[in-house]
Amino acid sequence: MNSETEYREGLDKLATHYKEVLTLLGEDANREGLLKTPMRVAKAMQVLTNGYEKDAHQVLKDALFKEDYSQMVIVKDIDFFSLCEHHMLPFYGKAHVAYIPNGYITGLSKIARVVDIYSHRLQVQERMTLQIKECIEQTLHPLGVMVVVEARHMCMQMRGVEKQNSITTTSDFSGAFNQAKTRQEFMNLIHNNS
């Protein structure tokens, strides 16, 4: 986003609030180094939360193709970042998504876009995992879907328990992935480093 016209309505009001936040934190919002900070933060927050204005289901539908393929399709190591809704601090990591087509496939990049859309909202990892799975399930009607998300949470690293090396893993699955053998195949494939 380069042009100011690409930002959502309310940008100036958001910047005004961030200027007030700086003052409430004990800063001089009028000092040279902070003069443009409220607008920079407002723009950053609009970018970091732009998933609210996007339809993940439509993204998949825009690249929906009839295909007679019924084996596992995996898109792994999808980098993402999001903001924890409890502290508005980042959490980031990788999402791994698999589905077994049932007559239709979607463009592979669209799976990554679905992850981006749900991660660009105030989130909790558990909900994001579920939303990704449900979007693919409801749009493609596959034989099964599985999503695994692995993330580091700055709210755990910078404050509170301050555990820098902890990783949180969430998963959700449906259909054919209810079978332990199918889930295990997926897990083996996403953790295969070759």
Side-chain angles (χ1 to χ4, degrees):
M1 292 189 160
N2 296 326
S3 165
E4 198 138 335
T5 60
E6 294 180 36
Y7 291 96
R8 299 191 306 269
E9 186 178 331
L11 184 66
D12 290 331
K13 189 172 183 180
L14 195 55
T16 300
H17 287 294
Y18 279 115
K19 184 174 182 177
E20 181 66 19
V21 167
L22 288 172
T23 302
L24 290 170
L25 291 173
E27 270 292 353
D28 174 6
N30 293 313
R31 74 176 171 84
E32 184 182 13
L34 293 177
L35 280 175
K36 295 182 180 179
T37 297
M39 183 55 74
R40 286 186 192 115
V41 176
K43 287 178 177 179
M45 290 304 291
Q46 282 205 353
V47 170
L48 295 173
T49 60
N50 68 14
Y52 290 117
E53 58 189 14
K54 297 177 181 171
D55 182 347
H57 297 270
Q58 192 59 50
V59 165
L60 292 177
K61 287 177 188 172
D62 286 346
L64 197 59
F65 308 103
K66 184 144 184 60
E67 191 65 46
D68 189 24
Y69 181 81
S70 59
Q71 299 302 313
M72 200 179 301
V73 176
I74 300 173
V75 182
K76 69 177 192 173
D77 296 329
I78 303 168
D79 292 317
F80 77 90
F81 58 87
S82 190
L83 291 175
C84 155
E85 71 180 32
H86 300 140
H87 303 98
M88 291 180 69
L89 289 172
F91 69 95
Y92 61 94
K94 294 188 182 294
H96 314 285
V97 179
Y99 73 99
I100 300 173
N102 187 16
Y104 289 92
I105 60 170
T106 190
L108 298 175
S109 68
K110 305 309 180 192
I111 300 293
R113 288 191 191 279
V114 167
V115 172
D116 282 347
I117 288 169
Y118 289 115
S119 66
H120 280 74
R121 300 175 181 188
L122 297 182
Q123 273 293 11
V124 295
Q125 183 175 331
E126 297 88 343
R127 182 188 317 118
M128 187 179 90
T129 305
L130 174 66
Q131 288 172 328
I132 295 165
K133 183 210 71 171
E134 286 182 341
C135 177
I136 294 166
E137 192 173 51
Q138 293 166 3
T139 309
L140 300 181
H141 306 289
L143 298 174
V145 181
M146 186 161 178
V147 177
V148 173
V149 176
E150 301 168 313
R152 295 181 182 272
H153 291 253
M154 297 306 282
C155 59
M156 283 182 62
Q157 294 177 331
M158 296 174 64
R159 52 157 306 283
V161 296
E162 296 184 17
K163 300 301 178 203
Q164 282 72 37
N165 296 309
S166 65
I167 296 175
T168 301
T169 302
T170 52
S171 68
D172 202 350
F173 51 87
S174 66
F177 290 96
N178 284 312
Q179 298 174 24
K181 182 179 175 184
T182 309
R183 282 196 312 275
Q184 190 57 53
E185 178 184 351
F186 172 64
M187 296 303 287
N188 290 342
L189 288 168
I190 66 170
H191 290 113
N192 180 359
N193 293 324
S194 58

